Amino acid sequence: GQIVYLADYRPTDFVLERVDLTFELHPTETKVEARLIFHRREGTDRQAPLVLDGDELTLSGLLLDQTEVSAAQYEATAESLTVRDLPESAPFELTITTIINPEANTQLMGLYRTGGIYCTQCEAEGFRRITYFPDRPDVLAPYTVNIIADKAANPLLLSNGNFLGGAGYGEGKHFAAWFDPHPKPSYLFALVAGDLGVVEDTFVTASGREVALKIYVEHGKEPRAAYAMDALKRSMKWDEERFGREYDLDIFMIVAVSDFNMGAMENKGLNVFNDKYVLADPEIATDADYANIEAIIAHEYFHNWTGNRITCRDWFQLCLKEGLTVYRDHEFSADQRSRPVKRIAEVRHLKSEQFPEDGGPLAHPVRPTKYREINNFYTTTVYEKGSEVTRMIATLLGRDLFKQGTDLYFDRHDGQAVTIEDFIKCFEDASGRDLTQFSLWYHQAGTPLVTASGTYDAGGRSFTLSLEQMMPVTPGQTTKEPMHIPLRMALFAEDGALLTPTSVTGAELTDDVLHLTERAQTVVFHGIPSRPVLSLNRSFSTPINLQFSQSAGDMALIARYETDHFARWQALIDLGLPNLLQAARDARQGIAVTCDAAFVDALLAAAKDESLEPAFRAQALALPSEADIARELGGDNDPDAIHAGRQAILALIAEAGKDVFTALYDNMQTPGPFSPDAASAGRRALRNAAFTYLSQSDNAPARAKAAYDAANNMTDLSAALTILAHRFPETAEAKAALENFHDRFAENALVIDKWFAIQAAIPGAATLERIQGLMETPLFKRTNPNRMRALVGTFAFANPTGFGRADGAGYRFLAQEILDIDQRNPQLAARILTSMRSWRLLEPVRADHARSALMQIERAGGLSTDVRDIVDRILK
Ligand code: BAL
Ligand code: ZN
């Protein structure tokens, strides 16, 4: 794998006018005939050869305008096809035939088979595993696709666009033809064939066009697609209302498959989904699963405009479609559910996934300038930080100008492959605002650190706020410019009333947004009658680390009075965090752990505050994770001490709040039949949060066992099983529940993934042996990405004490697994390996073990580019 640089971008020498594909499907020998019409781009070298991309391909036929091409005129390797002496200006047709083996395709890129179904995954560079092609996102063309296959095994033949027709085709075969009129890049191509059940519905667009909606799932699972269908219709409506975007084909299809590297894929008119994000019913899906399905259905649907109608010029621009589309799906979920609770969940995720990436060896800008393997850039930085940057544009411009900016973007760039600069220009043109400094957010990696301190001058009735920003050094970026940081803020009086300054000097303040644009700024708020309590970075308006020493009393006041509920939650977390950090230090020294009463009181007050929605109260009760604590400690970390300290804090809160938690556990039932709506989910979340605390003070598993037996939905069942397995792993009750769960759901892969994941996350050194044992059981499937992520992924990403056990055996186990997975599925191997990205924050003995394990991978022969890229960067 060679390094690709943004600076090297140039358009293709040839323009692709049309694509006509014919597939004769066969499990091991699928014949692909690609008829491509090209002409030479004006102004390019008249002699230049046409060079097409390939990946593990063998050419079996090549025609130029229906005539065989002589051996002297072309050169074919597995990775490329070069054709010389092509017409200087006239269009020409190239007919390329390849034979591919879907059955042997374990990478799950290109055309492969899963559960008897043919399906494709082409983003980013999978299409070149199907045929030789200019496989880059700036080559857009309309596609016609003909599919020929055995009729009995493949009654269903699907591709992008609108259905043209089908017919019988010789002995036992049939064919279908599809035409997609919207020019698209190859990464959006899709083909699905096989025998599946379907759920059908229709949607009438704002302009009155009827669209057929179809979700294809395994036979018998149709009822489980009902929620996804509902989410799809809500998404289509929301995109019309909020962004003025209508759907543009006669049909929209979703196919759920069980072997899939990603969550889902937005192929034009034919989304392919990991079935984890389609299938749900109360018996198999948790509330979190329902929320994920809703968000991912929306995300892929929203790509129809942000990604498909307007796509990326090159893969460096990935955030153009991903950051914007994540922002859109976040807004959708916020509108469908509770906005503050959604925001809290987003920020939790951002801090626990993206912040460690941005603060470690894999840090890269939202818009990178080089890559060795593009698959490794489908990161939380591109996606989630990309979304945060889009959110900040909306914050800077306000809702109306932001809408005008997106309108302009859709209008100006429809049908094009564009860049981040094109995107930003639309907002500048719509608003008249200069976003030059702001756009550094796309180019400078690392999480900014903002330091704040305030002083009140009673005589002058003014409050002075000193702000400083610091950009950390990241790989390849040592010097950085100050950023434009939009900080939402408010000032409160001691009684919780909002204080509005008569004037502000030293910074621009628009509505509640304070603009920090210099390295250091002193802002004075005039006309403040009493000492104010500052609430800074409300709604997490900017993705920064904030250092602001505030008294416990002030934080408690924000936790109680802020009208921005996100800020209330943040204040509770900020109150708790020092306790968790100190607890980890104390546990390491063998000192008894204590916890500030101010924090416990504020937490319990929030927990029982009936004016707050249950989902919010549940979020307040969920303390920062062990990984979050490790990140905040910043180095020399001992996972066992962090775990012990956090458990001790949980126990102290549990003890102090016994009555509160008992009452919540008893009162937060959800009577009546199960409903996945946000309010019911919130009650379950709060009840299970209370239950987690109660199980801290329980010294017997009886309550958890009773809860397991009483559960009538997967949220409660898996919560009870988690408590039994994590808190009482060696008891007969835990063993019986695990066995019961296994036997009850053995036929249901998605639920068995939970069974594996819950066990992979059991704290403590013994879990490694458990995992090794689980790998020997018949239900363990090495070839299934969901299963590997559930067991190996959960262990490495979400079990600091088990994975990080002091003897290093967890790291050695991972190294072996990575090398093994890499043989089949490099993309999956590289993804799981990123779990090692924070190894330098470990205490020296563990860090040494981690380094040795990484070096074991690095030294192995035959590594994929995917794994090579990650291991080299992590070790650097
Ligand atoms: N484009 C890959 C899957 C997604 O982000 O929607
Ligand atoms: Zn996406």
Side-chain angles (χ1 to χ4, degrees):
Q2 282 177 352
I3 297 182
V4 185
Y5 296 92
L6 170 61
D8 291 343
Y9 173 84
R10 58 183 197 92
T12 55
D13 288 337
F14 292 85
V15 176
L16 180 61
E17 296 180 9
R18 237 177 54 213
V19 178
D20 195 334
L21 302 170
T22 302
F23 288 82
E24 284 181 49
L25 294 176
H26 182 279
T28 56
E29 286 174 44
T30 287
K31 183 175 163 199
V32 185
E33 189 187 88
R35 283 174 36 202
L36 312 176
I37 305 206
F38 288 103
H39 67 260
R40 223 177 262 275
R41 189 184 299 279
E42 242 179 275
T44 57
D45 176 5
R46 303 288 97 181
Q47 306 308 316
L50 173 67
V51 184
L52 302 178
D53 304 302
D55 182 9
E56 296 189 321
L57 288 181
T58 339
L59 183 70
S60 72
L62 182 63
L63 307 179
L64 175 60
D65 292 325
Q66 302 297 329
T67 310
E68 207 164 311
V69 181
S70 75
Q73 204 183 336
Y74 77 90
E75 187 189 347
T77 69
E79 280 84 40
S80 71
L81 171 63
T82 307
V83 190
R84 282 174 283 272
D85 306 326
L86 291 164
E88 289 198 4
S89 57
F92 58 90
E93 182 189 78
L94 214 53
T95 307
I96 302 165
T97 307
T98 49
I99 310 283
I100 55 177
N101 184 347
E103 202 74 83
N105 186 352
T106 61
Q107 293 186 24
L108 313 185
M109 284 294 273
L111 176 68
Y112 65 96
R113 294 250 289 166
T114 157
I117 307 293
Y118 293 92
C119 81
T120 52
Q121 171 57 39
C122 293
E123 188 177 1
E125 297 178 337
F127 194 75
R128 63 184 63 182
R129 297 171 56 75
I130 294 172
T131 187
Y132 293 101
F133 201 80
D135 190 15
R136 40 188 279 177
D138 61 344
V139 174
L140 281 68
Y143 281 55
T144 305
V145 179
N146 305 290
I147 311 169
I148 301 159
D150 182 70
K151 187 169 181 173
N154 307 285
L156 212 60
L157 305 173
L158 310 177
S159 191
N160 317 86
N162 295 320
F163 181 60
L164 286 182
Y169 192 90
E171 249 177 88
K173 293 193 173 185
H174 68 149
F175 95 97
W178 293 81
F179 176 62
D180 182 0
H182 299 283
K184 69 165 174 291
S186 50
Y187 82 87
L188 291 173
F189 167 80
L191 176 153
V192 171
D195 189 1
L196 291 164
V198 66
V199 180
E200 299 183 79
D201 209 326
T202 54
F203 180 83
V204 179
T205 67
S207 63
R209 258 179 349 91
E210 189 172 294
V211 180
L213 308 179
K214 295 177 195 274
I215 302 184
Y216 294 97
V217 297
E218 256 176 54
H219 283 293
K221 295 188 174 166
E222 294 87 346
R224 292 185 183 157
Y227 185 78
M229 182 64 88
D230 176 59
L232 174 60
K233 289 192 289 182
R234 285 185 281 124
S235 306
M236 295 177 86
K237 186 142 182 56
W238 185 89
D239 211 16
E240 291 183 346
E241 290 170 353
R242 177 71 182 270
F243 282 91
R245 296 300 102 201
E246 263 190 47
Y247 188 61
D248 55 5
L249 289 167
D250 302 337
I251 181 168
F252 184 79
M253 298 174 281
I254 292 173
V255 178
V257 300
S258 52
D259 292 295
F260 205 66
N261 278 346
M262 307 195 193
M265 179 63 211
E266 70 263 24
N267 319 298
K268 183 78 187 190
L270 177 56
N271 288 185
V272 177
F273 268 62
N274 187 325
D275 58 0
K276 179 177 164 71
Y277 298 119
V278 173
L279 301 174
D281 68 31
E283 230 200 306
I284 66 156
T286 61
D287 290 318
D289 291 328
Y290 279 101
N292 279 330
I293 290 170
E294 180 180 79
I296 295 173
I297 291 274
H299 179 97
E300 305 311 329
Y301 174 72
F302 296 157
H303 268 315
N304 190 56
W305 274 94
T306 50
N308 301 4
R309 288 287 288 254
I310 306 177
T311 194
C312 303
R313 189 193 72 172
D314 51 70
W315 289 121
F316 298 100
Q317 319 298 331
L318 184 57
C319 65
L320 176 86
K321 71 181 180 79
E322 297 306 345
L324 176 55
T325 305
V326 171
Y327 171 71
R328 277 150 54 69
D329 88 57
H330 282 179
E331 283 296 293
F332 169 73
S333 293
D335 283 347
Q336 302 289 310
R337 293 165 177 254
S338 155
R339 183 164 284 270
V341 171
K342 172 66 182 154
R343 189 65 188 140
I344 291 166
E346 282 160 20
V347 173
R348 269 191 190 282
H349 177 73
L350 186 78
K351 286 193 170 179
S352 66
E353 305 298 329
Q354 200 275 327
F355 278 30
E357 182 167 276
D358 230 355
L362 301 180
H364 56 273
V366 172
R367 209 277 298 275
T369 55
K370 61 174 186 181
Y371 61 75
R372 203 155 141 199
E373 174 51 67
I374 187 58
N375 289 336
N376 289 338
F377 281 81
Y378 287 74
T379 60
T380 55
T381 296
V382 167
Y383 276 65
E384 274 76 20
K385 189 174 180 182
S387 165
E388 293 303 318
V389 176
T390 311
R391 179 177 297 282
M392 285 190 281
I393 297 178
T395 299
L396 289 179
L397 267 56
R399 198 177 167 114
D400 291 346
L401 287 177
F402 180 74
K403 173 73 165 50
Q404 287 173 37
T406 56
D407 285 350
L408 182 59
Y409 177 66
F410 293 126
D411 198 45
R412 187 183 278 176
H413 295 298
D414 187 11
Q416 299 178 1
V418 303
T419 62
I420 279 301
E421 284 76 7
D422 296 321
F423 178 68
I424 296 169
K425 185 81 169 52
C426 292
F427 294 101
E428 291 189 318
D429 290 353
S431 69
R433 194 155 187 142
D434 180 354
L435 296 175
T436 310
Q437 185 190 13
F438 176 80
S439 61
L440 288 172
W441 279 102
Y442 286 100
H443 310 312
Q444 295 191 152
T447 308
L449 173 66
V450 174
T451 313
S453 64
T455 49
Y456 179 62
D457 171 9
R461 291 163 64 89
S462 67
F463 176 68
T464 301
L465 177 63
S466 302
L467 294 168
E468 246 181 86
Q469 57 168 304
M470 199 281 288
M471 285 298 293
V473 166
T474 50
Q477 292 188 332
T478 45
T479 55
K480 306 208 182 177
E481 299 300 315
M483 311 258 274
H484 183 170
I485 298 179
L487 288 157
R488 285 194 190 279
M489 56 150 295
L491 300 172
F492 293 94
E494 300 283 348
D495 63 356
L498 200 63
L499 294 171
T500 312
T502 49
S503 66
V504 177
T505 51
E508 180 191 342
L509 178 73
T510 28
D511 298 324
D512 69 342
V513 183
L514 188 69
H515 298 261
L516 173 60
T517 54
E518 287 158 39
R519 266 188 223 287
Q521 248 166 294
T522 303
V523 191
V524 185
F525 300 83
H526 303 277
I528 305 293
S530 61
R531 187 190 76 88
V533 173
L534 171 65
S535 175
L536 198 56
N537 205 15
R538 302 174 99 188
S539 297
F540 211 66
S541 61
T542 180
I544 55 163
N545 280 307
L546 179 61
Q547 205 165 63
F548 176 38
S549 24
Q550 203 164 25
S551 70
D554 284 3
M555 285 190 263
L557 187 133
I558 294 170
R560 186 155 165 218
Y561 291 116
E562 243 287 18
T563 48
D564 176 332
H565 282 202
F566 172 85
R568 279 201 197 185
W569 170 82
Q570 184 68 61
L572 284 169
I573 294 292
D574 291 346
L575 261 173
L577 195 59
N579 293 281
L580 290 159
L581 302 184
Q582 191 55 41
R585 293 184 199 107
D586 289 348
R588 194 158 175 194
Q589 303 297 323
I591 302 171
V593 168
T594 58
C595 189
D596 289 340
F599 165 55
V600 179
D601 291 347
L603 191 66
L604 295 177
K608 64 183 178 198
D609 184 344
E610 301 210 340
S611 71
L612 294 168
E613 53 187 329
F616 175 91
R617 292 147 72 191
Q619 282 287 1
L621 287 175
L623 299 185
S625 69
E626 289 166 29
D628 293 334
I629 297 166
R631 188 186 71 248
E632 296 285 346
L633 282 168
D636 189 24
N637 288 332
D638 175 348
D640 290 330
I642 292 171
H643 176 76
R646 185 175 181 277
Q647 288 303 114
I649 296 282
L650 281 172
L652 290 168
I653 296 168
E655 194 52 42
K658 209 169 198 143
D659 298 343
V660 176
F661 298 131
T662 305
L664 288 174
Y665 187 70
D666 292 341
N667 300 335
M668 277 293 146
Q669 312 264 11
T670 40
F674 178 89
S675 162
D677 69 89
S680 308
R683 292 177 71 85
R684 282 187 286 274
L686 180 53
R687 185 165 187 263
N688 284 319
F691 179 25
T692 302
Y693 282 97
L694 290 174
S695 76
Q696 290 300 320
S697 47
D698 280 350
N699 44 28
R703 189 196 310 262
K705 162 112 184 22
Y708 181 85
D709 292 340
N712 70 348
N713 61 75
M714 184 49 73
T715 302
D716 291 341
L717 192 73
S718 61
L721 184 64
T722 301
I723 285 172
L724 280 166
H726 290 197
R727 172 92 176 91
F728 310 105
E730 295 311 323
T731 62
E733 285 84 350
K735 288 174 184 160
L738 282 167
E739 195 179 310
N740 170 278
F741 194 95
H742 170 276
D743 295 349
R744 231 160 116 183
F745 299 108
E747 298 301 312
N748 194 315
L750 296 176
V751 186
I752 289 300
D753 286 339
K754 298 182 197 301
W755 184 78
F756 279 107
I758 286 170
Q759 295 184 77
I762 296 174
T767 299
L768 177 58
E769 279 76 32
R770 181 188 288 264
I771 285 175
Q772 286 164 330
L774 287 169
M775 291 179 120
E776 301 302 319
T777 57
L779 286 179
F780 184 69
K781 281 203 185 65
R782 284 190 170 277
T783 54
N784 177 245
N786 284 353
R787 188 67 31 100
M788 293 306 280
R789 282 185 285 254
L791 192 64
V792 181
T794 304
F795 183 56
F797 280 105
N799 188 343
T801 52
F803 178 53
R805 64 187 233 180
D807 65 0
Y811 308 134
R812 289 191 291 277
F813 163 78
L814 188 76
Q816 284 304 326
E817 284 305 315
I818 294 300
L819 293 174
D820 181 69
I821 300 167
D822 197 33
Q823 301 298 311
R824 288 182 302 279
N825 189 335
Q827 214 174 312
L828 180 66
R831 176 56 61 111
I832 296 179
L833 180 57
T834 64
S835 59
M836 296 287 279
R837 66 191 171 194
S838 300
W839 70 273
R840 277 180 215 274
L841 301 187
L842 293 162
E843 50 81 19
V845 173
R846 284 179 175 84
D848 240 27
H849 288 309
R851 183 192 291 109
S852 305
L854 287 164
M855 287 173 65
Q856 187 190 336
I857 297 173
E858 197 185 37
R859 280 194 302 258
L863 285 187
S864 66
T865 308
D866 305 57
V867 167
R868 163 81 46 213
D869 171 44
I870 296 289
V871 76
D872 284 357
R873 282 194 282 149
I874 288 189
L875 274 171
K876 217 183 221 159

